[in-house]
Amino acid sequence: MELPELAARWMHALTSTAYIPLSRAEIEQALLESLRELPESPESVANRLVSLHATGPDSLSATIELLSPTFELPVLARLSAAYAQAMRMDAFDQQEQIKVAIVRAKQRVERTLKVSQARFQEVFASSALGIAITDFDGRCVEANDTLAEIVGLESGADLTGRHLIDFFHPEDKAALASSYRQVRAGHVDRFRDQRKLIREDDEPVWVHLAASLLRDADGEPTHHVTMVEDISELHLLQRNLDHQLLHDSLTGLSNRQHFATQVERRPDSQAITLYHLGLDAFSVVNNGLGHETGDKLLKIVANRLGRLAAEKNAVVARIGGDEFAMMTISDNVTSTVEEIQDALAEPTFVDDHGIALSASIGVVDRPPAFATAAELMRCANAALRQAKARGKRQWALHDPHDDARRRGKYALAASMPGAWEHGEIEIVYAPLHGLESREVLGAVARLHWDDLSHNDTMALADSTGLSLPIGRWLLREACAQAARWVEEFGDRAPTLHVALGALQSRDEDLVADVKRALDETGLPPERLRVALDISSVLAGDDNAAVLHDSGIVTALDGFHGGHDELAVLTEVPVGAVITRAPAPDPDSPLRQAMRDLITTVHSFGVRFGVDEVHTLTDAEHWRSIGADAVIGLLPALTAAEVTDLLATTASPPPEAS
């Protein structure tokens, strides 16, 4: 997200939690400058927030929630701590002004009017801060009731004559005594500190204190004046905030950010093993028994993994909805995986339901010391995806070579929208050859990108959800080109064949898309052949039947010859099936089986085509067992090349040779 947009959202979040006496433009400009400074100086940003009066009860939580997707956890933690410190400093700055007013009021009272003394006593007595005036030996000369309440006494008079420093934790006394001496000696005007005070009943209290000198009318120092604020609740709130930033709210385990930090801080001298767990079929529990039961089960899983981690001196975290991670000092991976599965497999009764789980596990064992936490967690996730592909209760060890291959595929898929936007993906036309007539029966519109085939390109598009828009584009552009060929070359124009991907084949809007493409381009329906992925028809989709009823000839792509696929041919009106099987060797027993399959397909009145046939020898093998047509004998051509070929051919398209 761009910084100006983030600043605007931050402004709206803050103004809903506190009154900031500036215009919206001024607030937004100040926050934009803060965003630019935040990575380098969270403390200055915190001070600016307080100076803007963004100090509502929810201002900090709103800020953390808004900035957490953009900035790293350590920066936000420093911002939170600095914000709390700035809040205290702001309060103490105001308190310091009160103290100065108190001291000046007392001096005026001593010199002038008795009524001023009364006013001073009222302020002193009713202050929300504990106030103590001590001599240079540390004994209390005067203290208010608020301070007495903080230390567990009944009134300020009970503090008179007692050493104030005796109420602080023994470990803090030496440092405090030194700070008081620094003030008395004039090395500093005042000091502020956060310390733990021990009440009269031995209960600890966290306080913030500020101490300075009290001078007489001649400016000579006579006493120390100390102001004490009980910040126990704020201290507890800060600790809770730190815990929430680092732990999962449901299970209490470390969250992803905290776990990544622990992985990053692993000693270089220790080899580790990283386990990434994904609960199998956890959605069945959520959907079948409800999310409340699912949450209870997650807590049970967290407890079991926590006990196992404690036994192994390991670190465990919940890093996603039903995903956990564990880092151990390198051990026997197989035995640890079994221990994890055994811990999860024990049936547990949740809301009267006996539930047992298993997990798919990705493992990164003994990675190099220089590997970052982010890279290790990515590798573990990749191994988990591989384990899930194998089925339930499986585990997989990270394979760097396989991972590199997969990353290359994912990188291509991720860059595909940009490639399409910049025109790098183009449409080419592969000739469809009849095996008996040896004539070109039509042109098959295909996607071409870099060195990828049409099928590989569509598979990548399916993985990113791009197959629907790019499939519609292919259909529309190919129909427009075919219509131009019909207009220019008449009957010599090739029939257009379009093979659709799996997602587009089952798209509810497919029939409307095909009709729209024909209507907008003017291509006659009889000049179009649409090949649907056979998996969509097997799943019960009726696009093939509806297209047939609309006068469009359809085919089934990806045919393998199984019983279910043959049964479909008796129910769905299609003109052809297309397979990608290798050509049967003349001496292979499969030759007769394939011949019988083709004969069976023909008995349904359906033609048999073969894709990715690149040699005349393979084409002859297919012709000899009854196949009708093949795709791939000649290289695919661009639209311009097909147009040039048609323009220079005075007779029907030449025979393949």
Side-chain angles (χ1 to χ4, degrees), residues 274-278 280 333 336-338 340-341 344 358-363 380 383-388 390 393-397:
L274 196 63
Y275 300 86
H276 189 167
L277 290 67
D280 293 331
V333 173
T336 299
V337 168
E338 285 302 318
I340 293 173
Q341 298 289 15
L344 299 179
S358 63
S360 299
I361 305 174
V363 183
L384 173 61
R385 302 281 82 78
Q386 185 178 355
K388 283 183 175 290
R390 298 176 181 174
R393 198 186 168 96
Q394 300 295 313
W395 69 278
L397 195 63

Side-chain angles (χ1 to χ4, degrees), residues 55-389:
T55 55
D58 299 323
S59 297
L60 178 58
S61 60
T63 295
I64 295 299
E65 180 179 356
L66 183 66
L67 300 185
S68 57
T70 305
F71 296 91
E72 296 180 352
L73 176 62
V75 173
L76 297 180
R78 287 174 59 191
L79 175 63
S80 299
Y83 182 86
Q85 179 70 10
M87 287 281 288
R88 290 194 294 272
M89 293 302 101
D90 184 64
F92 267 88
D93 285 341
Q94 299 178 34
Q95 296 157 14
E96 188 70 10
Q97 296 175 13
I98 295 174
K99 184 194 73 174
V100 171
I102 291 172
V103 173
R104 290 177 177 173
K106 186 175 181 180
Q107 290 173 342
R108 286 196 300 271
V109 165
E110 292 173 345
R111 291 178 178 177
T112 57
L113 302 173
K114 204 170 185 180
V115 63
S116 297
Q117 175 67 33
R119 291 174 181 172
F120 164 76
Q121 288 297 338
E122 179 62 26
V123 173
F124 185 81
S126 62
S127 173
L129 300 175
I131 304 173
I133 298 175
T134 57
D135 60 23
F136 291 143
D137 291 329
R139 285 188 296 268
C140 286
V141 174
E142 191 173 0
N144 65 359
D145 291 344
T146 303
L147 180 58
E149 182 180 351
I150 292 174
V151 300
L153 298 175
E154 292 185 3
S155 69
D158 296 330
L159 281 165
T160 303
R162 299 184 63 171
H163 285 82
L164 181 62
I165 203 169
D166 289 342
F167 287 95
F168 289 90
H169 193 280
E171 295 179 358
D172 294 337
K173 289 182 179 181
L176 282 172
S178 175
S179 297
Y180 275 109
R181 287 194 295 270
Q182 292 283 325
V183 172
R184 181 182 178 184
H187 298 309
V188 293
D189 292 334
R190 63 184 59 84
F191 76 86
R192 295 168 173 169
D193 210 345
Q194 181 176 308
R195 295 291 178 179
K196 186 161 62 173
L197 179 149
I198 306 300
R199 287 167 47 92
E200 192 74 5
D201 55 7
D202 293 331
E203 289 294 323
V205 179
W206 281 95
V207 298
H208 205 102
L209 58 106
S212 59
L213 282 176
L214 192 62
R215 301 177 182 272
D216 62 17
D218 298 324
E220 293 296 325
T222 59
H223 297 84
H224 286 120
V225 59
T226 304
M227 305 183 71
V228 181
E229 179 189 14
D230 185 350
I231 60 167
S232 297
E233 292 185 2
L234 183 60
H235 183 76
L236 180 61
L237 177 63
Q238 183 173 342
R239 290 184 60 185
N240 288 340
L241 178 61
D242 291 342
H243 187 274
Q244 291 173 14
L245 285 171
L246 300 176
H247 293 80
D248 174 54
S249 60
L250 178 65
T251 64
L253 296 179
S254 295
N255 59 19
R256 185 181 189 90
Q257 291 84 355
H258 191 205
F259 184 76
T261 301
Q262 292 172 299
V263 174
E264 196 70 53
R265 292 176 178 173
R266 69 191 187 278
D268 293 341
S269 59
Q270 288 184 336
I272 65 167
T273 303
L274 196 63
Y275 300 86
H276 189 167
L277 290 67
L279 299 181
D280 293 331
F282 182 72
S283 60
V284 174
V285 177
N286 273 340
N287 296 332
L289 302 179
H291 288 273
E292 184 176 353
T293 300
D295 288 346
K296 292 178 181 178
L297 188 60
L298 285 175
K299 293 179 181 179
I300 294 172
V301 170
N303 289 335
R304 292 181 179 180
L305 293 178
R307 288 196 297 270
L308 180 61
E311 294 172 3
K312 292 181 167 293
N313 194 26
V315 177
V316 66
R318 181 189 179 204
I319 58 175
D322 62 351
E323 295 186 2
F324 296 81
M326 187 165 67
M327 178 180 67
T328 67
I329 304 304
S330 290
D331 54 5
N332 187 306
V333 173
T334 303
S335 63
T336 299
V337 168
E338 285 302 318
E339 290 173 1
I340 293 173
Q341 298 289 15
D342 291 343
L344 299 179
E346 180 183 350
T348 300
F349 281 88
V350 180
D351 297 334
D352 297 328
H353 300 285
I355 305 172
L357 289 175
S358 63
S360 299
I361 305 174
V363 183
V364 178
D365 189 35
R366 296 174 175 84
F370 58 80
T372 64
E375 176 64 13
L376 292 181
M377 294 182 72
R378 188 203 62 77
C379 292
N381 181 265
L384 173 61
R385 302 281 82 78
Q386 185 178 355
K388 283 183 175 290

